[in-house]
Amino acid sequence: MDISIHTTTLPHDDPDASLVFYRDVLGFEVCSDVGQGRMRWITVGPAGQPGTSILLAPPAADPGISEDERRTITEMMAKGTYGWILLATPDLDATFEKVQAGDSEVVQEPTDQPYGVRDCAFRDPAGNLIRIQELR
């Protein structure tokens, strides 16, 4: 079996702010941007890695979601407990400085974790937790 991870999703509540964060702060390439207003689906990914992407999507667009579920998603996004992703970089300190300079909310400065990982964490404009791990 040959399976790879192609796309994962994160919710957004302000596509323009999310686009600035992922494109201008993280340096991701924009692969597609469809829809309009808050109903936009934006695909971004690391430069030079066309087979890996994040789909930034409006969280309440699925017609199968109930109003209670929409309310729960909105509440969880506001608290920053709904979506998260783990990214990796060979130079965590340089990446941390660049992301922090982008006026991003710092959740955790670079830290050597007791389980052998060195990482930091931010929140994107939608409240998603963005953990960045140092490649060793």
Side-chain angles (χ1 to χ4, degrees), residues 33-50:
D33 185 349
V34 299
Q36 58 186 339
R38 292 189 177 273
M39 298 303 284
R40 284 170 56 194
W41 287 258
I42 304 166
T43 305
V44 296
Q49 297 180 37

Side-chain angles (χ1 to χ4, degrees), residues 29-122:
E29 294 179 337
V30 178
C31 304
S32 68
D33 185 349
V34 299
Q36 58 186 339
R38 292 189 177 273
M39 298 303 284
R40 284 170 56 194
W41 287 258
I42 304 166
T43 305
V44 296
Q49 297 180 37
T52 304
S53 60
I54 301 169
L55 173 61
L56 305 169
D62 185 337
I65 294 176
S66 70
E67 285 305 315
D68 285 343
E69 291 167 329
R70 282 188 179 89
R71 185 174 42 257
T72 298
I73 290 169
T74 301
E75 290 170 358
M76 291 180 72
M77 286 177 66
K79 290 173 43 181
T81 58
Y82 185 67
W84 72 280
I85 192 165
L86 176 60
L87 305 175
T89 181
D91 188 344
L92 185 65
D93 292 319
T95 300
F96 177 81
E97 293 301 322
K98 182 179 179 198
V99 176
Q100 185 180 34
D103 199 26
S104 302
E105 178 187 346
V106 176
V107 176
Q108 174 204 303
E109 294 188 5
T111 303
D112 291 315
Q113 302 292 351
Y115 42 88
V117 170
R118 186 162 192 271
D119 65 0
C120 65
F122 296 90

Side-chain angles (χ1 to χ4, degrees), residues 21-29 45-47 98:
F21 178 79
Y22 286 94
R23 182 192 59 209
D24 301 343
V25 176
L26 293 182
F28 284 1
E29 294 179 337
K98 182 179 179 198

